[in-house]
Amino acid sequence: MSERHVVIIGGGLVGSLTACYLAKRGWTVDLYEKRQDTRMQQHGSFGENRSINLAISERGLAALRRLDPALEAQAKALVIPMRGRMIHALDGHQSSQAYDIFGKHINSVSRSELIKLLLDEAESYPGVKLHFGYEFITADFDTGRVVLQDADHGGRNERCEQGRVIVNADLIVGADGAFSRVRQRMMAKVMMNYSQTYIEHGYCELSMEPRNGNFAISPDHLHIWPRGSFMLIALPNLDKSFTCTLFMPWQQFDSIKCDADIVALFRAHFPDALHLIGEKKLCAEFAANPKGSLMYVKCLPLTYKGRVVILGDAAHAMVPFYGQGMNCGFEDVEVLDRTMVEALQNANASSERTADLSNHLLRCALDKYSATRSVDTSAIVDLALENYIEMRAKVVDLRYLTRRFLEGL
Ligand code: FAD
């Protein structure tokens, strides 16, 4: 069978892992990313309007392990284990809540370092070409003709008119994030059930520098300052800083008009964090850093006629409170791989080269993936939403509050 060609749209966390998996299974891979190569950019900048660090769990690590245990080991070298939550009461009291009595935990990892690892890994496969600065415009999903815009108007590919690049693919993967254009274009072809919901809260990231060369608070925890309708969280970084994220209703963001307002909010609700971040830094970062919106997406089907499939946030963007968006996207790639390998095995082919799947088998595999996977991802989208209430209001240390109450009697 001749080489089969996949075009992946989006070189984020999920797109880059997909490139690795498909290359391993014998596909020729062209990945198109609209931004320039993030590996060249300054480490850990706030400019991207996405979290600086995130929690990678067993779900995500398992997907790296299936591809290559060495890749999982490299990822683990980048993480800081967070063995529990640390709840910060208003009076500064901290109480630790272990995630698991057997020591299972989640891990804090730098988004930019993880993407770098995955892009480097993808590039190490001879069949993979990464193209940065190419924006997906549209595609004919029946023929596999994909139209991209070359940001530099360069045009190194087959046909290029005024920066328009046209490529042909046997399979198109949409890993282009929550506002996926691949999904949008699919909706014109497929009877797709689709919903997109914004929540009333936004977020802003802040940083807490090391103190006397060490972590300012315990690095083994995901720190939470739960305050009912809003909260502050902090995840550790390898350079001993913390990235803090303030989640609160937009109305509350809008009520902050000047430095004095944000300081007053922190003084009233997060006095210990204010002390550790510092007033000057808080004001400068709150004014300068982007405020992000939060939404979730559900859609079905996730595929069209064995030619297109959407993965990651493109298929199921979720609010970040369960720490599972990326993890679930990684699992998508793993599940897709299993489904394609099983399809070959059921066809009595001994190979694990999923590039050898006939069009019919590929279509069956993608249909099965779409039908089964969407049940799980829909459940996780709901759990993520529920966990916001848990984190901002229910994690408070009841024993501690009861003791304080009794002391006051
Ligand atoms: P993206 O990361 O959005 O990547 C999509 C890529 O496609 C981008 O590089 C984009 O430039 C590119 N692209 C878009 N359109 C086009 C186009 N037309 N042409 C070409 N390229 C295009 N998840 C966790 O698992 N754990 C966490 O702790 C966690 N914390 C989070 C905290 C916050 C504040 C937020 C906002 C999210 C968090 N997430 C977390 C979710 C996680 O960030 C996402 O689930 C993950 O980034 C999804 O990866 P993706 O590759 O599907 O999409």
Side-chain angles (χ1 to χ4, degrees):
M1 169 148 314
S2 62
E3 286 299 314
R4 303 197 82 198
H5 180 213
V6 56
V7 163
I8 299 174
I9 306 299
L13 292 159
V14 173
S16 48
L17 183 64
T18 311
C20 299
Y21 262 98
L22 290 176
K24 184 179 169 185
R25 301 297 184 204
W27 292 78
T28 303
V29 181
D30 278 288
L31 180 150
Y32 293 92
E33 164 56 49
K34 74 174 174 189
R35 291 179 304 181
Q36 295 305 325
D37 191 343
T38 46
R39 291 172 295 182
M40 310 299 170
Q41 286 167 11
Q42 198 201 339
H43 164 77
S45 88
F46 283 105
E48 286 175 37
N49 199 12
R50 301 303 296 270
S51 61
I52 302 286
N53 54 16
L54 34 89
I56 185 166
S57 67
E58 169 57 21
R59 188 187 303 277
L61 290 170
L64 304 186
R65 193 182 315 137
R66 175 172 166 88
L67 178 76
D68 181 358
L71 182 67
E72 184 200 13
Q74 282 175 277
K76 279 185 162 173
L78 300 173
V79 310
I80 300 184
M82 296 183 291
R83 302 190 183 280
R85 299 160 169 159
M86 185 69 87
I87 308 302
H88 293 249
L90 192 54
D91 63 4
H93 174 85
Q94 298 183 31
S95 47
S96 168
Q97 299 177 354
Y99 281 125
D100 185 80
I101 52 168
F102 300 109
K104 285 188 197 154
H105 58 270
I106 54 174
N107 306 280
S108 178
V109 67
S110 147
R111 181 186 290 271
S112 57
E113 289 301 310
L114 191 56
I115 290 191
K116 179 176 183 303
L117 176 70
L118 292 175
L119 289 173
D120 286 350
E121 177 75 9
E123 244 172 6
S124 73
Y125 288 91
V128 175
K129 277 195 199 128
L130 306 180
H131 309 264
F132 294 99
Y134 286 83
E135 183 174 357
F136 169 80
I137 303 298
T138 193
D140 180 335
F141 293 137
D142 290 303
T143 60
R145 182 178 179 271
V146 181
V147 181
L148 302 129
Q149 178 75 32
D150 176 354
D152 301 331
H153 291 239
R156 306 185 298 271
N157 274 346
E158 280 93 296
R159 278 205 292 131
C160 177
E161 287 163 22
Q162 299 194 337
R164 285 283 155 121
V165 174
I166 294 168
V167 285
N168 290 301
D170 299 300
L171 174 65
I172 301 162
V173 174
D176 49 344
F179 300 96
S180 169
R181 192 176 282 164
V182 176
R183 182 184 67 219
Q184 247 177 43
R185 297 288 185 262
M186 254 176 84
M187 286 164 81
K189 295 292 288 184
V190 193
M191 289 193 291
M192 183 187 277
N193 289 329
Y194 169 76
S195 70
Q196 172 188 303
T197 312
Y198 281 93
I199 65 168
E200 56 170 321
H201 293 70
Y203 70 95
C204 177
E205 292 194 295
L206 305 162
S207 59
M208 186 186 283
E209 296 303 321
R211 283 180 91 79
N212 306 321
N214 219 334
F215 289 99
I217 42 181
S218 154
D220 301 338
H221 291 88
L222 191 161
H223 292 261
I224 310 178
W225 289 256
R227 298 294 180 260
S229 62
F230 59 101
M231 69 174 179
L232 181 72
I233 66 167
L235 273 71
N237 297 310
L238 284 176
D239 66 1
K240 300 189 176 170
S241 68
F242 277 82
T243 302
C244 309
T245 313
L246 175 64
F247 293 97
M248 62 184 189
W250 282 113
Q251 234 182 352
Q252 213 168 342
F253 272 112
D254 293 344
S255 71
I256 295 172
K257 308 276 188 223
C258 60
D259 288 355
D261 292 343
I262 184 69
V263 171
L265 179 97
F266 268 66
R267 213 171 265 153
H269 300 286
F270 314 115
D272 55 342
L274 176 62
H275 172 67
L276 296 169
I277 294 172
E279 282 190 20
K280 208 167 147 199
K281 196 168 173 55
L282 171 68
C283 295
E285 289 192 349
F286 186 82
N289 293 352
K291 316 290 177 292
S293 56
L294 297 166
M295 52 88 119
Y296 57 95
V297 164
K298 287 187 179 184
C299 61
L300 187 70
L302 309 176
T303 181
Y304 174 71
K305 288 191 177 172
R307 273 275 192 211
V308 197
V309 62
I310 51 174
L311 303 175
D313 275 17
H316 49 66
M318 63 189 78
V319 292
F321 308 113
Y322 216 40
Q324 285 298 331
M326 166 198 68
N327 287 298
C328 198
F330 282 1
E331 195 179 54
D332 291 351
V333 188
E334 185 191 347
V335 173
L336 180 67
D337 182 62
R338 283 186 196 283
T339 314
M340 285 162 87
V341 169
E342 269 167 30
L344 263 183
Q345 284 164 354
N346 292 341
N348 292 326
S350 57
S351 155
E352 284 210 336
R353 282 175 46 97
T354 60
D356 290 343
L357 282 165
S358 69
N359 290 346
H360 171 69
L361 277 180
L362 181 60
R363 184 169 174 175
C364 292
L366 294 187
D367 284 349
K368 183 175 172 198
Y369 167 82
S370 169
T372 54
R373 186 68 185 146
S374 55
V375 177
D376 293 338
T377 55
S378 168
I380 269 208
V381 168
D382 293 341
L383 286 169
L385 200 56
E386 280 171 26
N387 208 46
Y388 188 27
I389 303 165
E390 161 90 12
M391 279 179 88
R392 68 180 200 231
K394 291 190 185 163
V395 290
V396 286
D397 184 351
L398 284 176
R399 274 176 312 174
Y400 172 71
L401 289 181
T402 311
R403 204 179 71 228
R404 291 301 313 265
F405 174 71
L406 292 173
E407 280 166 7
L409 286 179

